[in-house]
Amino acid sequence: MTPDDSGALQSRRQFLRRLVSSGLFAAGVSAAGWWFYDRRSATGTATAEVSLPDFRVKNEPACMSIVHGSDRLESLRRALKALGGMERFVRPGDRVLLKVNAAFAVPPILSATSHPDLVAGAIDLCRQAGAVAVTVADNPINDPAACFALTGIGRAARQAGARVLLPQKRYFKPISVKDARLIRRWPVFYRPLENIDKVIGISPVKDHHRSGASMSIKNWYGLLGGQRSIFHQDINTIIRDLGLMMRPTLVILDGTVTMVANGPTGGSLSDLKRTDTMIVSTDQVAADAYGATLLGKIADDLPYIGMCRRAGLGTDDYRSLNPVVLSG
Amino acid sequence: MLPKPGKFETGISLTIMLLLVVIAAGILWRQADFNPAVEVFQPQHQAERLSLVAADRKASEVDLVVLPGEISPLGVPETFGPRQLADKIDGKAPLYLSAGFEKLTSQRFSLKNQAGQWFEFYAYRMRDQQGAFAVFSAQRRPDARPDGITRQSYQTANAQFVVHGHYYLELIASQATEPLSSAMRQAALEFVKSHEVKTESVDPGALFPPSGLDRGSITLLAEDAFGFAGLDQVMTAIYHLDGKEVMAFVSKRKDAREAEALAAAYRVFLKRFGGEDVSGKKQSLPAGHMVRIMEAFELVFSIGPYLAGVHEAPEASLALTLGRRLAARIQEKEPGHDPR
């Protein structure tokens, strides 16, 4: 062994020693990271994650109808008839979830929530189409029992033969939505979606201080749990995520009376405008794009609509669906 | 001299370096893809929730206002702090938070023997009177009818809106009926009587020239005025000039230097979005700058600590006319400063 060989060996030993100690240190840091990683969702529980199915009717092209008229129920019936009737979307034996907007404990005259007459009418049509069970649900912003009572939705739904499901802590499960940026391991009001074949969203057209509008896609916000108000900081992204989360069978967008100012709560009758329009569509992006016009806007004024289009959730060019337009 | 490392050592070292780069990139990616769920677990947040629950229990012992027998509480008062405000008013919360919201107490009242006739009383406590005026003015309804409860209060068919010192009150009825209207008025008056406040006698419209002014249009924009993040606490007012609507604005800053700097920053902001400085083409422009943007004219100037101007005037001449009058009014009220 030459002195050079001895130096090289020493250096190699040093290198290996350092390599091993670095490796041990890195392994220790990784183990600590793994130890500290919080696997709980925003509910604080470690429930297994679930994902939501696609509730669209298979092999059906997107369709849309727009009916102008002052009578909500009549408009809804005509809008559905123009698309082939509720039976095109709800088959005999189906279990249907009607996701209403019961966000606030306010009276129906404020148009801040789904109108009880419309909810009752939709339940009736689902049952006529052969639905064996209709569930009405929402996770409101205010106290759930007060919301369903004061909006009139609870009573209307029960009288029409639907089951009203109020949120309870155990009804939530964490979900992560594929390609979503914000809905990851986030608690969702999952119980009403269990054993459900079809999902129909019913929402009013409203101004929204943060997003510019609250319509069909924003309505799914009422399925989120946890401290969801944090999402207002990135409102357009969360609405896009909601669109990714829920692919409904149908949306019913009620523009009979539109909240054109001070939304989403409004408060004064002067925040409302009669716009006498009912929109029914299987494409919720197209429905919202048309709904924007009732607020005196275009789809481009609402950034979330473009984001939804780019995410492949539907079209913001509602005319491309050749909507059936009926006047009173 | 150390021997040159062998291929094996170099390979191992490069692999480790590469691994570290991948780990660093992974950490950066995860950080950029922040999951807001963690916010929910902040101890400060949890503590505030608990203290509000305690406050709720205390508040529930006392009604928001004590009213005569025919108006009775429909439930206990609810209390919401800044972090819970969205639990009550959802997407409208940022409007209040940006204006200095501190606490909301709300309670429902019903009329005895009149089924379905109830109203909800919202008492927003803001940091100061300016904050209360900001949320009041930003939501002013077109059919507002002054009701004389305070200097800044009005009613609509089913609601009552009042600024009382640093309180902003909203009373919203389930139906548009006279008995409910009267009950809400009574409740608002009772609140005003039972809550003594320091009322600043400042007229929010004092700096606007009175001719052509729509007094009901005076609004305080608490933040992000005209889409510019640096522009806050801006008072705006609509004028009717030559059959056209033109908006004037004034904002009091800390000192003249800040007003001047903000005017310059706002001008830069306008130009960044396609605005063209046409000041040189307007010979009669006494001070400030005129920017043409999207077929409208924006006049911006400063006078002492005031940033002022005209927003989106349809014609340059209208912007100039109103701008001159506005400058003269500010000089009249706050003498000793020249427009710049």
Side-chain angles (χ1 to χ4, degrees):
Chain A
M1 189 186 281
T2 64
D4 274 358
D5 287 342
S6 157
L9 203 60
Q10 184 67 15
S11 170
R12 184 162 293 172
R13 276 205 193 109
Q14 272 177 359
F15 169 75
L16 288 172
R17 209 174 291 133
R18 282 175 190 165
L19 183 66
V20 169
S21 52
S22 302
L24 284 173
F25 179 71
V29 169
S30 303
W34 187 254
W35 177 262
F36 284 117
Y37 179 62
D38 191 344
R39 288 164 194 80
R40 294 177 303 166
S41 73
T43 53
T45 59
T47 319
E49 274 188 73
V50 292
S51 58
L52 299 186
D54 187 335
F55 291 99
R56 290 175 294 176
V57 176
K58 305 281 178 297
N59 306 317
E60 281 278 2
C63 58
M64 182 174 183
S65 61
I66 301 161
V67 173
H68 299 292
S70 58
D71 183 332
R72 278 191 178 85
L73 281 183
E74 184 58 21
S75 296
L76 176 64
R77 283 192 201 105
R78 293 178 69 203
L80 279 161
K81 196 175 171 192
L83 299 179
M86 185 63 103
E87 43 281 5
R88 180 174 167 189
F89 310 103
V90 174
R91 305 274 154 74
D94 274 354
R95 294 171 182 276
V96 182
L97 168 67
L98 291 188
K99 164 63 183 78
V100 295
N101 180 339
F104 307 106
V106 295
I109 59 160
L110 296 185
S111 288
T113 50
S114 302
H115 199 283
D117 295 347
L118 189 66
V119 175
I123 294 167
D124 206 30
L125 290 169
C126 287
R127 288 166 66 86
Q128 283 174 31
V132 290
V134 181
T135 301
V136 172
D138 191 20
N139 177 29
I141 305 290
N142 303 159
D143 173 67
C147 288
F148 275 88
L150 297 177
T151 56
I153 295 173
R155 188 154 79 162
R158 286 188 196 99
Q159 281 178 352
R163 179 179 69 135
V164 175
L165 198 63
L166 300 185
Q168 293 183 33
K169 201 176 176 185
R170 66 178 192 277
Y171 291 172
F172 288 80
K173 284 186 180 175
I175 75 159
S176 289
V177 175
K178 188 174 177 288
D179 298 330
R181 182 166 150 63
L182 299 174
I183 306 177
R184 288 177 293 125
R185 305 182 68 78
W186 194 269
V188 162
F189 187 21
Y190 189 76
R191 174 62 72 84
L193 293 154
E194 282 175 339
N195 303 316
I196 284 291
D197 304 297
K198 302 288 162 57
V199 173
I200 298 175
I202 304 182
S203 52
V205 180
K206 296 196 292 180
D207 166 56
H208 192 282
H209 176 72
R210 204 71 176 172
S211 60
S214 172
M215 298 186 279
S216 306
I217 311 174
K218 173 73 168 55
N219 185 30
W220 309 120
Y221 183 80
L223 288 177
L224 298 179
Q227 194 63 32
R228 57 189 165 175
S229 61
I230 194 170
F231 293 134
H232 283 131
Q233 292 164 29
D234 196 357
I235 190 80
N236 292 303
T237 304
I238 190 63
I239 300 178
R240 184 202 66 145
D241 281 9
L242 290 168
L244 286 164
M245 179 183 83
M246 176 56 77
R247 309 304 297 268
T249 312
L250 200 65
V251 291
I252 298 169
L253 184 57
D254 181 9
T256 310
V257 173
T258 294
M259 184 186 288
V260 292
N262 295 314
T265 51
S268 175
L269 296 184
S270 41
D271 296 329
L272 311 177
K273 183 182 171 188
R274 275 213 83 88
T275 42
D276 290 339
T277 306
M278 186 66 64
I279 304 149
V280 173
S281 182
T282 55
D283 181 334
Q284 52 184 343
V285 183
D288 280 13
Y290 185 83
T293 65
L294 303 180
L295 289 162
K297 298 176 180 186
I298 57 169
D300 285 349
D301 293 332
L302 303 172
Y304 80 81
I305 291 185
M307 291 165 76
C308 286
R309 174 182 52 78
R310 287 191 291 279
L313 299 176
T315 178
D316 55 358
D317 177 15
Y318 62 87
R319 291 181 190 86
S320 67
L321 299 182
N322 295 315
V324 181
V325 182
L326 302 172
S327 295
Chain B
M1 189 178 156
L2 284 170
K4 199 178 168 193
K7 279 183 184 171
F8 172 71
E9 290 159 328
T10 307
I12 292 269
S13 303
L14 283 176
T15 307
I16 290 171
M17 294 294 280
L18 190 68
L19 204 64
L20 288 172
V21 168
V22 169
I23 290 169
I27 289 169
L28 284 175
W29 178 74
R30 291 294 295 173
Q31 287 296 317
D33 199 23
F34 174 71
N35 184 347
V38 298
E39 172 77 10
V40 181
F41 295 113
Q42 293 298 311
Q44 178 198 353
H45 190 182
Q46 302 283 12
E48 192 182 335
R49 284 192 83 82
L50 290 173
S51 71
L52 274 163
V53 169
D56 257 352
R57 286 199 194 106
K58 199 176 166 189
S60 65
E61 294 161 14
V62 184
D63 291 333
L64 189 53
V65 283
V66 180
L67 295 165
E70 65 272 19
I71 309 167
S72 54
L74 197 57
V76 295
E78 294 177 286
T79 311
F80 302 86
R83 278 184 180 269
Q84 291 75 36
L85 184 61
D87 295 343
K88 181 66 178 171
I89 62 171
D90 191 39
K92 221 195 265 183
L95 173 71
Y96 290 77
L97 294 171
S98 65
F101 168 83
E102 289 182 344
K103 192 174 105 173
L104 163 65
T105 307
S106 70
Q107 190 175 14
R108 294 187 192 92
F109 296 87
S110 66
L111 301 188
K112 271 189 185 160
N113 306 320
Q114 299 191 57
Q117 299 231 16
W118 57 272
F119 67 89
E120 187 159 7
F121 193 143
Y122 300 76
Y124 294 90
R125 194 182 76 200
M126 309 297 289
R127 190 172 48 232
D128 50 32
Q129 190 177 339
Q130 210 166 10
F133 180 73
V135 291
F136 169 82
S137 61
Q139 301 175 84
R140 191 185 276 111
R141 273 72 181 181
D143 62 340
R145 297 191 304 275
D147 58 13
I149 291 176
T150 64
R151 276 185 66 189
Q152 276 135 11
S153 67
Y154 67 86
Q155 64 178 131
T156 64
N158 71 311
Q160 195 107 44
F161 304 92
V162 181
V163 173
H164 173 52
H166 61 296
Y167 285 102
Y168 168 59
L169 313 178
E170 277 187 354
L171 297 94
I172 294 166
S174 62
Q175 295 170 25
T177 66
E178 183 43 44
L180 273 174
S181 227
S182 162
M184 288 193 299
R185 182 180 170 79
Q186 210 171 343
L189 283 167
E190 186 56 39
F191 184 93
V192 169
K193 203 172 87 184
S194 59
H195 288 74
E196 205 171 297
V197 292
K198 200 175 115 191
T199 309
E200 296 160 27
S201 57
V202 181
D203 174 6
L207 292 171
F208 291 112
S211 173
L213 169 67
D214 174 356
R215 283 203 72 85
S217 72
I218 297 170
T219 301
L220 175 60
L221 304 177
E223 65 169 15
D224 295 348
F226 317 135
F228 178 44
L231 203 49
D232 59 358
Q233 300 300 319
V234 179
M235 202 72 82
T236 67
I238 300 289
Y239 281 82
H240 298 281
L241 300 177
D242 299 339
K244 295 190 174 88
E245 273 192 5
V246 191
M247 179 186 279
F249 63 89
V250 182
S251 174
K252 188 171 186 183
R253 315 308 305 180
K254 198 172 70 195
D255 52 32
R257 187 186 289 181
E258 186 187 305
E260 209 174 326
L262 195 57
Y266 182 48
R267 222 166 46 236
V268 170
F269 167 78
L270 292 171
K271 282 155 86 174
R272 197 186 310 140
F273 286 92
E276 180 198 359
D277 197 327
V278 293
S279 311
K281 297 173 189 168
K282 306 290 163 195
Q283 298 301 317
S284 51
L285 188 65
H289 287 259
M290 176 93 78
V291 177
R292 182 186 179 141
I293 181 163
M294 288 189 274
E295 304 309 312
F297 293 88
E298 197 87 10
L299 179 65
V300 191
F301 57 89
S302 64
I303 302 183
Y306 293 96
L307 164 74
V310 178
H311 179 60
E312 291 184 353
E315 294 162 20
S317 60
L318 288 175
L320 277 173
T321 305
L322 184 55
R324 278 200 206 97
R325 282 165 45 187
L326 181 61
R329 176 73 172 184
I330 296 171
Q331 280 178 308
E332 180 193 319
K333 292 280 176 186
E334 300 269 336
H337 302 291
D338 288 325
R340 298 171 70 93

